Amino acid sequence: SGDPISRAAAASRSRALRDAVARYQSIDGIPELVFFRSTGPALYHYTVEGASGKVISGLVGLVRLASLLPHEETIRAAEDKEAPDLEIRPLLVITRHSLPTLPAAGPVSSVRYGSQLHRVEPVNPSGPIELGALVVADGHHRRRSAMRAYGSEATGIALVVGDGGRGLRAEAFQRRLIGAGALPRSVAVSFAVTEIDHPSPRVGGIVWCGDDGTARLLRPRPEALETIPPALRSIGSAVAFRLLYPLIGMTQDRVVHYSTSAGALGSLESGDAALLLPRVGVDAVFSAAEAGTLLPPKGSRFIPKPVRGLVVRSFG
């Protein structure tokens, strides 16, 4: 099961596995997708390597989900999906602490996912590992859904990346605002508005793109920022949610999220607008989680993510 396979093959097997479980087939009817296996409680060293070397390094194991700090709200329709245990991608978790170097306890398994190589090696801790506050980077709706289904003692598999999430990038989801209409003049109360030539994310502001191809940079005014909790003031999604959406009557059910600016811009229909947001600071994510002031849904997008199909099972 350690032989590398393509991203397309992994995705296909992932879908087949989830479909099989959803139909309540027997274990014999579930295709093999367990890249990294254990016959007992286990902890793993997980690395992602790119063309220029190691990208991230972390530890994979089971965690009590209630102990994890969320940093953003969840979209209700997504978090209410049935059977949270059918999601076979580990939660992605970050900590400010450095991770220990642990002795290997078994052979390395690997899988190539896109252009990156994901490697897992069983390790043997000599005692408890102190990792400090653990913040969910990716997997909020899975965490909350599992806790609703199984209570405060629910556990889940997580990849923990130390040193403040070293190697991870916190990008922003870009947004299509359905039926937003033209940018109202009242926006000048909360933002300094500047026309720009090229619609792309800008540091220190949010970019509004109309369906007519115009683009404007909206920089929040200091007095408007004072109405936002300090931990959220540098995060574009929070600024948009708290300052812009009320001005244009925008609701979350009319916001569509995209991983790229091109995706958001290319989706626009008559009467829509695109909102382009700058990269999210990882320190701001920690601050939001520790202060309990959550980002709006899809407030950040951490990459790279752990592969689907990574399974750790605890027996006994």
Side-chain angles (χ1 to χ4, degrees):
S1 62
D3 295 335
I5 66 172
S6 70
R7 179 174 183 171
S12 176
R13 294 186 190 182
S14 174
R15 288 191 296 270
L17 174 60
R18 296 179 68 176
D19 289 346
V21 176
R23 292 195 303 269
Y24 301 101
Q25 293 182 357
S26 70
I27 192 66
D28 293 333
I30 298 177
E32 178 63 53
L33 188 65
V34 184
F35 302 137
F36 316 118
R37 295 183 292 184
S38 169
T39 56
L43 187 68
Y44 295 90
H45 179 216
Y46 189 114
T47 59
V48 179
E49 298 176 2
S52 58
K54 186 182 297 182
V55 179
I56 63 171
S57 176
L59 292 175
V60 169
L62 293 175
V63 299
R64 191 168 68 88
L65 299 180
S67 68
L68 304 178
L69 298 178
H71 80 268
E72 66 183 27
E73 299 175 9
T74 55
I75 298 175
R76 183 62 60 181
E79 74 176 43
D80 284 341
K81 287 180 180 177
E82 295 181 1
D85 52 334
L86 296 189
E87 173 57 70
I88 53 176
R89 187 196 298 276
L91 277 69
L92 182 59
V93 176
I94 53 180
T95 176
R96 296 185 191 273
H97 285 218
S98 298
L99 301 180
T101 300
L102 301 172
V108 175
S109 296
S110 65
V111 59
R112 186 167 293 280
Y113 199 67
S115 62
Q116 295 176 328
L117 183 68
H118 295 245
R119 297 163 55 90
V120 163
E121 180 180 40
V123 293
N124 185 21
S126 59
I129 301 173
E130 175 55 49
L131 295 179
L134 299 178
V135 174
V136 180
D138 180 74
H140 286 80
H141 79 265
R142 281 173 270 148
R143 170 186 173 273
R144 291 190 56 178
S145 188
M147 289 177 63
R148 270 198 310 279
Y150 304 115
S152 61
E153 296 303 313
T155 59
I157 182 175
L159 165 60
V160 181
V161 179
D163 296 320
R166 183 177 180 181
L168 294 169
R169 297 204 317 272
E171 303 286 353
F173 279 99
Q174 312 305 343
R175 287 150 162 78
R176 170 191 172 198
L177 308 181
I178 299 175
L183 187 66
R185 292 183 178 180
S186 59
V187 76
V189 174
S190 298
F191 296 91
V193 182
T194 306
E195 290 192 11
I196 57 177
D197 294 331
H198 302 290
S200 60
R202 308 292 177 95
V203 176
I206 56 181
V207 174
W208 171 283
C209 303
D211 63 351
D212 58 356
T214 59
R216 294 177 174 85
L217 174 62
L218 312 183
R219 293 187 182 275
R221 299 188 185 278
E223 59 271 22
L225 278 180
E226 290 180 0
T227 67
I228 300 178
L232 302 182
R233 292 175 185 173
S234 66
I235 301 176
S237 61
V239 171
F241 179 79
R242 290 175 178 257
L243 297 184
L244 179 62
Y245 287 8
L247 292 174
I248 61 175
M250 184 54 52
T251 54
Q252 286 289 0
D253 61 309
R254 292 160 51 207
V255 179
V256 185
H257 302 92
Y258 296 85
S259 59
T260 65
S261 299
L265 292 169
S267 71
L268 293 184
E269 299 181 5
S270 178
D272 294 347
L275 201 61
L276 309 183
L277 308 177
R279 180 176 291 182
V280 180
V282 177
D283 283 344
V285 168
F286 278 107
S287 297
E290 292 164 354
T293 51
L294 302 183
L295 280 64
K298 299 291 185 179
S300 65
R301 182 173 67 91
F302 279 82
I303 51 179
K305 302 181 188 297
V307 293
R308 296 182 186 274
L310 173 61
V311 177
V312 173
R313 183 180 299 275
S314 177
F315 294 88

